[in-house]
Amino acid sequence: MPSPGRLDPDLAQQAIEYCYQQDWSDGLPLVPVSQPLLDRFLAQTGRGPQEVIGSLEATGRDCTVELAAINAAMAGCQPEYFPVVLAAFEALMLDRAARGGGWQSTSGPAPLIVVNGPVRGELGFNAAGGVFGPGFRPNATVARSVGLIVRNAFGVKPHVLEQATQGLPGRWSICIAENEEESPWEPLSVEAGQPAGASAVSATLLRTCEFVDNRHTQDPEQLLWDFADTISRTGALIFRDTSCGVVLCPEHAQLLAAAGFSKAVVQDWLIEHCGRTRAELRRAGKDGVNENNVRFAADTTGAMKGEGEAGGEVFSRILPSRQHVPLVVAGARNAAISMVVRVFGLWSGTAVAIETREDSRTTGTLSGSRRDGGVE
Amino acid sequence: MPNAILDPTGGAGRAPAAEQGQTGGLALAPRRRGLTGAKVGLLVNTKQNADIFLEEVGKLLVEQHGAAGILARTKSAFAQPAPECLLKELTAECDVVVTGIGDCGSCSASAVADGVALETRGTPAAVICSDAFTGSADAIAGLHGAPGYQYATTPHPVAVLRPAQVRERAGAVLPDVVALLTDPR
């Protein structure tokens, strides 16, 4: 730890200002990165610096391990977080929308990053109170790293290739650890193919988060109806189907589990009960579905009015499968407040293992790519 | 000597100016004097109303400008540039291509990318974008070595229009489409 008396704030400010002038910043100060700091990041992985970890066809740009490391360091990560950043980015690249036009979208979607396993405690990820932030360096900087990678490595910047109409609050800040200790169910990573006890990351793109505050009932179905109301709102429906996760607080998850609801039962209940009637959809101009599964106002001409009125009670379900309703447990056990997380496309359903120090030593030696920069 | 501050863009932040200087922009495909007898390709990107819009443009090009026929194709992933096989078919079968509607962040960019790709293959293209997306459209043209690439715009919004309104829009943009596809000199 450097002693404050030997640090030069005036030089630090100049370096920060230089980064602003290069147009690298998301608006907040960046950590200026030097080769020694980059080397400490690269020493955390067995992957070669020039290995490509993601590409954006639209801009013809690739993100290499080295570029990811520079952006993660700029975001304020400690070198030890870097394997989590790599896993998070790989998990996001499994999401079709993130490989396609997601970063340029008018909806301005935010990555949701979910961390499981012992890495949460080792690095100090917050899984409990205030899990959606702020206040915790790993959560804040891992999420911010993704934003800086998109901006700097992929070249997608606001008002240019990034065309978000309004965007959403906290776009590059949603990284949560699952509260496995207070969850009655298996971790998301296990459901997504990783062994129990392994550290892993899952990720998808979100359009927004919406709270459901229900400290009002002990009846599991009343609670689920409250979730269903938020999930089913017409403003969020643009296609025939939608995808919507729930980040349950421990109290809600435990209430459901105590009533005999497994994750799968909760998912099936929501699949069954989330949706709208044709009359409700017509009221919002979303009763039609075209050949591309996009909703539209079908009765503007009046041609379908008679038919629509007759079938007004017909109920359309909107969640096609369990994969469309991922469930995570996070937050404090101090109140019954959960978060509906509105998925932009469709979660891949696959978690990505976080490389451990043992992995990086082994593969680093084999590939000869490990750098000797881990010692200060 | 202090350490250098490392560049997080891989040098790409400086690239556009250098590229412009080197390439001097894109050489457009040779233009016809008019569209009489021309086979017109329509590359529809599936955005709401794009099909009605382009079909009407095609119909008007036949009726009013003597185009010989229409080949309409749809690209299923509006966010992505058109696949190579689709570009090949359009360039092989058509004399000119009209594409759109660039009516979202990614599809405005990819529509312009398709236009540039068609020009590079020797087929004149007219890209139609909503006028709310010129920032994205211009940026992608620069990235593809075609800074200042010209395209047609139609006023935003497009998606909420009724079919008759969409056809009116097609009629309104028609002169720009013809101007982009031809060189009467």
Side-chain angles (χ1 to χ4, degrees):
Chain A
M1 178 66 74
S3 126
R6 294 177 57 86
L7 299 176
D8 188 335
D10 301 302
L11 272 182
Q13 289 153 18
Q14 286 176 36
I16 289 169
E17 205 52 42
Y18 172 85
C19 294
Y20 274 118
Q21 286 165 5
Q22 304 308 306
D23 201 22
W24 295 336
S25 170
D26 52 15
L28 295 174
L30 299 168
V31 175
V33 184
S34 59
Q35 189 66 45
L37 180 58
L38 172 60
D39 288 341
R40 286 162 57 205
F41 273 71
L42 294 175
Q44 297 290 325
T45 177
R47 304 172 77 166
Q50 298 311 317
E51 184 186 333
V52 172
I53 59 167
S55 301
L56 192 65
E57 195 180 349
T59 57
R61 298 268 291 269
D62 297 327
C63 180
T64 61
V65 169
E66 181 173 272
L67 281 183
I70 297 173
N71 282 286
M74 284 195 334
C77 286
Q78 293 195 313
E80 294 73 20
Y81 307 169
F82 187 45
V84 185
V85 173
L86 287 174
F89 198 72
E90 187 174 336
L92 264 178
M93 287 292 109
L94 296 174
D95 188 318
R96 188 169 154 265
R99 290 195 309 276
W103 306 123
Q104 298 155 262
S105 171
T106 46
S107 56
L112 165 69
I113 300 164
V114 181
V115 181
N116 280 109
V119 73
R120 297 167 305 140
E122 291 160 12
L123 297 180
F125 279 93
N126 182 25
V131 72
F132 280 92
F136 296 85
R137 183 174 177 178
N139 303 64
T141 59
V142 167
R144 190 188 185 200
S145 300
V146 174
L148 291 178
I149 288 170
V150 169
R151 178 185 183 91
N152 293 312
F154 281 172
V156 180
K157 294 181 184 177
H159 291 193
V160 189
L161 289 176
E162 195 261 77
Q163 288 285 322
T165 305
Q166 296 184 316
L168 57 106
R171 186 180 189 192
W172 307 119
S173 68
I174 309 176
C175 173
I176 65 176
E178 184 155 33
N179 188 341
E180 297 175 23
E181 291 68 23
E182 295 188 289
S183 169
W185 299 317
E186 67 177 11
L188 183 71
S189 56
V190 173
E191 190 187 334
Q194 293 293 327
S199 293
V201 182
S202 309
T204 191
L205 292 180
L206 295 188
R207 287 207 59 166
T208 197
C209 302
E210 305 159 67
F211 72 93
V212 175
D213 188 330
N214 191 317
R215 325 178 206 197
H216 304 72
T217 180
Q218 293 185 35
D219 181 320
E221 289 213 70
Q222 283 182 322
L223 173 60
L224 290 174
W225 276 118
D226 221 4
F227 290 153
D229 182 67
T230 293
I231 292 172
S232 304
R233 71 178 179 88
T234 58
L237 287 178
I238 54 174
F239 301 109
R240 175 198 298 278
D241 300 322
T242 191
S243 172
C244 215
V246 185
V247 178
L248 295 108
C249 65
E251 184 177 334
H252 280 160
Q254 289 168 13
L255 182 159
L256 291 164
F261 283 66
S262 66
K263 256 193 196 183
V265 170
V266 170
Q267 288 166 320
D268 291 345
W269 193 98
L270 292 171
I271 290 167
E272 176 73 19
H273 294 91
C274 291
R276 299 303 285 236
T277 65
R278 189 179 295 173
E280 290 167 336
L281 291 164
R282 189 192 317 125
R283 197 170 58 191
K286 294 180 170 179
D287 49 328
V289 176
N290 74 11
E291 67 277 16
N292 301 311
N293 287 321
V294 180
R295 293 190 172 276
F296 68 99
D299 74 342
T300 50
T301 61
M304 292 183 66
K305 217 157 195 170
E307 185 195 345
E309 278 167 357
E313 291 311 307
V314 173
F315 187 76
S316 297
R317 293 189 178 83
I318 51 176
L319 298 167
S321 79
R322 289 177 187 169
Q323 193 184 345
H324 290 74
V325 204
L327 303 179
V328 184
V329 177
R333 54 179 296 278
N334 60 4
I337 306 172
S338 292
M339 196 74 90
V340 165
V341 289
R342 185 79 54 183
V343 178
F344 174 70
L346 179 62
W347 175 46
S348 69
T350 300
V352 173
I354 296 170
E355 194 180 9
T356 64
R357 287 192 85 84
E358 285 310 308
D359 294 337
S360 78
R361 287 203 182 94
T362 314
T363 52
T365 305
L366 287 174
S367 68
S369 64
R370 181 165 174 256
R371 296 221 180 170
D372 185 19
V375 182
E376 286 180 75
Chain B
M1 186 65 183
N3 285 312
I5 297 177
L6 300 182
D7 176 1
T9 71
R14 298 184 298 273
E19 269 175 23
Q20 278 182 34
Q22 283 160 12
T23 63
L26 170 82
L28 292 180
R31 262 44 188 172
R32 307 162 60 96
R33 297 188 67 171
L35 293 173
T36 306
K39 177 95 172 267
V40 177
L42 304 177
L43 178 52
V44 182
N45 70 353
T46 74
K47 289 307 285 188
Q48 188 72 16
N49 284 330
D51 50 354
I52 301 173
F53 198 120
L54 291 193
E55 279 161 23
E56 182 70 8
V57 167
K59 178 170 159 271
L60 295 175
L61 289 176
V62 170
E63 288 175 3
Q64 299 178 12
H65 294 270
I70 299 296
L71 178 72
R73 288 290 180 265
T74 299
K75 71 170 178 178
S76 51
F78 62 73
Q80 305 280 17
E84 182 63 31
C85 57
L86 198 49
L87 293 176
K88 261 189 182 157
E89 184 189 9
L90 287 167
T91 48
E93 301 291 328
C94 304
D95 299 304
V96 296
V97 174
V98 182
T99 184
I101 305 295
D103 192 28
C104 71
S106 56
C107 66
S108 55
S110 70
V112 168
D114 291 342
V116 171
L118 288 160
E119 299 283 355
T120 307
R121 285 164 176 74
T123 303
V127 180
I128 304 171
C129 282
S130 145
D131 66 4
F133 291 99
T134 55
S136 168
D138 292 343
I140 210 75
L143 275 176
H144 285 263
Y149 181 70
Q150 297 292 302
Y151 50 88
T153 59
T154 188
H156 196 78
V158 174
V160 297
L161 300 181
R162 294 169 190 164
Q165 296 171 310
V166 177
R167 290 189 195 98
E168 275 175 36
R169 290 290 193 82
V173 82
L174 193 71
D176 291 344
V177 169
V178 173
L180 285 170
L181 294 175
T182 58
D183 183 358
R185 284 173 300 169

